[in-house]
Amino acid sequence: MKKRIAILGSTGSIGTQTLEVISQNPDYFEVEVLTANNNIELLIKQARQFQPNVVVISNSCHYDQLKEALKDEPIKIYAGREALHQVVEMETIDVVVTAMVGYSGLIPTCNAIKAGKHIALANKETMVVAGEIINRLAIEHKVNIYPVDSEHSAIFQCLVGEFNNEIEKIYLTASGGPFRGFSSEQLAAVTKADALKHPNWDMGAKITIDSASMMNKGFEVIEAKWLFGLKPEQIDVVVHPQSIVHSIVQFRDGSMKAQMGLPDMKLPIQYALSFPERLVSDFKRFSFFDYPKLTFEQPNTKKFRNLALAFEALNQGGNMPCILNAANEVVVQAFLSDKISFLQMPEIIEEIMSKASFIKTPDLDDYIQTDKEIRISTSAMVKKLAI
Ligand code: MN
């Protein structure tokens, strides 16, 4: 039986790489649903090639164009955010790949879990915002959450076969991004174009900025807490500029296991879809002699404030990670539209975190409300500070 896959965010970086994995393994996977926000040309092309049962375009403005373009195909077409929220419940889906950007992943992910669908989780913001709720739902509906994030996939792979052996600690590796080793003066002057050049990974714009600012690593710390049931003090970040060691687990006897390979997101995507099996691949193999030196260093949380802010949000818990995420989504957008500088991003987030109203045990509605309020207050602050 082929696994029937729904890809939420099929036109993004993870979405397109997921389709590559599927097309390389046609005996194992088939595409059931594709969804996108705005990239209608690519969605049409993907729909023609992969022949899903359903496509959804979130932005309803594109509905007529999509319908017209696919009128000769036996594909159902829906539009709007409600359709996106509901399509994950379809009987014929086995696994939902959550590859959309940011907070928008939360509701469809919750709905997919409630409908009993396994999740290949690429949308880390969902875990950052509401990891506790996601875990509770997953247990209640007997759903597995397979990490797609390369670091979390690495941890997951290191845990295979360890049964009940306790984790003492994990080390999440970070490339350090394009500004590793920069002085504060240099950081103050970096541009959008500089930030969009990641040394090792080819990713979407939002996550590339998050990587440059280290917010991505901060989110991954929070994601790891929920995926692996860890306390904050069990999670360490180590900068590893070559991105070959994808992360490390240390067990209670002191033994450490690492997962390694060339940086290619197709590998963690494929593993999330094929687990527990490993499928044959032609991904480029690692050569030790291309990398005679693998290096490790401490992250600089004074210069890269976001990592410290994420640990603070993690320690405070409640709706604080949701506040962190909402403020970050607004400042990243503002930075990408040249409204604020690189270093203003963490400044604004810190200020918002200190002023926001804290809820110790939020429910889903509290998260939705928090997200809405923080977007408003952060946008107001951006406006005040805009260059
Ligand atoms: Mn990652």
Side-chain angles (χ1 to χ4, degrees):
M1 274 285 274
K2 290 186 196 180
K3 273 188 197 164
R4 294 162 298 180
I5 317 270
I7 307 174
L8 309 185
S10 68
T11 58
S13 170
I14 295 289
T16 51
Q17 294 182 80
T18 303
L19 286 171
E20 277 182 58
V21 167
I22 292 172
S23 68
Q24 282 157 14
N25 298 282
D27 297 340
Y28 290 89
F29 310 120
E30 63 190 345
V31 179
E32 188 62 19
V33 175
L34 295 176
T35 84
N37 245 337
N38 280 306
N39 191 344
I40 184 110
E41 284 79 19
L42 185 53
L43 184 62
I44 292 165
K45 206 175 137 218
Q46 292 176 338
R48 288 206 180 110
Q49 185 186 344
F50 290 93
Q51 294 291 318
N53 246 320
V54 173
V55 296
V56 178
I57 184 85
S58 293
N59 185 344
S60 341
C61 307
H62 303 298
Y63 177 73
D64 291 337
Q65 195 191 339
L66 184 60
K67 183 116 191 141
E68 175 62 27
L70 296 177
K71 66 172 187 251
D72 296 327
E73 310 281 354
I75 300 172
K76 296 183 201 75
I77 297 154
Y78 302 110
R81 217 186 298 175
E82 268 311 303
L84 174 67
H85 291 175
Q86 283 167 18
V87 74
V88 293
E89 296 166 5
M90 274 171 54
E91 195 70 33
T92 48
I93 297 171
D94 297 313
V95 184
V96 175
V97 180
T98 63
M100 65 283 267
V101 180
Y103 172 85
S104 66
L106 178 61
I107 303 296
T109 306
C110 286
N111 289 357
I113 297 172
K114 285 183 199 159
K117 311 302 178 192
H118 296 302
I119 305 292
L121 183 95
N123 173 254
K124 68 192 83 187
E125 290 90 339
T126 290
M127 280 318 237
V128 171
V129 169
E132 196 185 6
I133 290 180
I134 297 296
N135 278 352
R136 207 187 318 131
L137 286 174
I139 291 168
E140 194 183 323
H141 297 275
K142 300 189 175 61
V143 153
N144 297 330
I145 298 179
Y146 302 110
V148 168
D149 212 342
S150 60
E151 295 78 0
H152 304 74
S153 176
I155 304 286
F156 182 54
Q157 293 180 55
C158 292
L159 292 175
V160 170
E162 293 293 343
F163 304 101
N164 294 323
N165 287 330
E166 242 170 75
I167 298 174
E168 184 169 82
K169 176 167 211 170
I170 66 168
Y171 294 91
L172 294 177
T173 51
S175 70
F179 307 140
R180 183 176 60 91
F182 272 35
S183 68
S184 304
E185 292 71 34
Q186 284 174 300
L187 275 182
V190 301
T191 65
K192 177 173 77 177
D194 300 330
L196 285 172
K197 276 183 240 133
H198 195 279
N200 304 339
W201 296 97
D202 183 12
M203 307 176 288
K206 200 259 178 183
I207 187 174
T208 304
I209 300 299
D210 285 344
S211 295
S213 72
M214 300 270 312
M215 183 57 95
N216 181 55
K217 208 50 55 180
F219 284 167
E220 290 181 353
V221 169
I222 300 174
E223 183 187 10
K225 172 205 155 99
W226 294 116
L227 284 176
F228 305 112
L230 301 170
K231 298 192 191 78
E233 59 272 22
Q234 289 176 291
I235 309 169
D236 248 348
V237 172
V238 55
V239 173
H240 167 48
Q242 299 82 19
S243 296
I244 296 299
V245 175
H246 298 308
S247 279
I248 300 140
V249 181
Q250 179 177 312
F251 294 94
R252 62 178 176 182
D253 59 356
S255 176
M256 298 164 93
K257 280 165 83 174
Q259 188 263 336
M260 297 170 59
L262 290 172
D264 181 347
M265 282 310 295
K266 288 198 291 296
L267 199 142
I269 292 168
Q270 178 168 299
Y271 191 70
L273 295 178
S274 71
F275 175 85
E277 205 177 331
R278 288 187 186 273
L279 304 181
V280 175
S281 90
D282 60 0
F283 306 148
K284 192 165 173 241
R285 271 32 176 184
F286 173 76
S287 157
F288 283 95
F289 311 111
D290 291 340
Y291 293 85
K293 239 188 219 164
L294 298 179
T295 61
F296 302 90
E297 57 195 70
Q298 203 150 33
N300 188 333
T301 51
K302 288 207 176 68
K303 276 187 208 146
F304 294 92
R305 286 293 301 150
N306 280 343
L307 190 54
L309 294 174
F311 267 103
E312 198 181 310
L314 175 66
N315 282 312
Q316 288 190 45
N319 64 340
M320 200 48 85
C322 176
I323 293 166
L324 175 84
N325 177 68
N328 184 61
E329 286 192 25
V330 174
V331 297
V332 168
Q333 208 43 58
F335 176 69
L336 285 173
S337 351
D338 299 309
K339 286 183 186 146
I340 57 172
S341 71
F342 188 75
L343 287 180
Q344 278 179 313
M345 292 195 287
E347 281 169 28
I348 293 172
I349 296 168
E350 187 160 19
E351 178 86 9
I352 292 289
M353 281 172 70
S354 71
K355 284 185 178 154
S357 38
F358 181 67
I359 306 170
K360 182 89 198 136
T361 49
D363 60 21
L364 188 57
D365 286 333
D366 292 323
Y367 286 125
I368 293 169
Q369 195 56 31
T370 297
D371 180 77
K372 206 188 271 172
E373 284 170 12
I374 295 300
R375 279 168 200 275
I376 293 169
S377 56
T378 311
S379 302
M381 194 172 294
V382 164
K383 223 171 192 174
K384 225 169 58 192
L385 295 172
I387 309 161

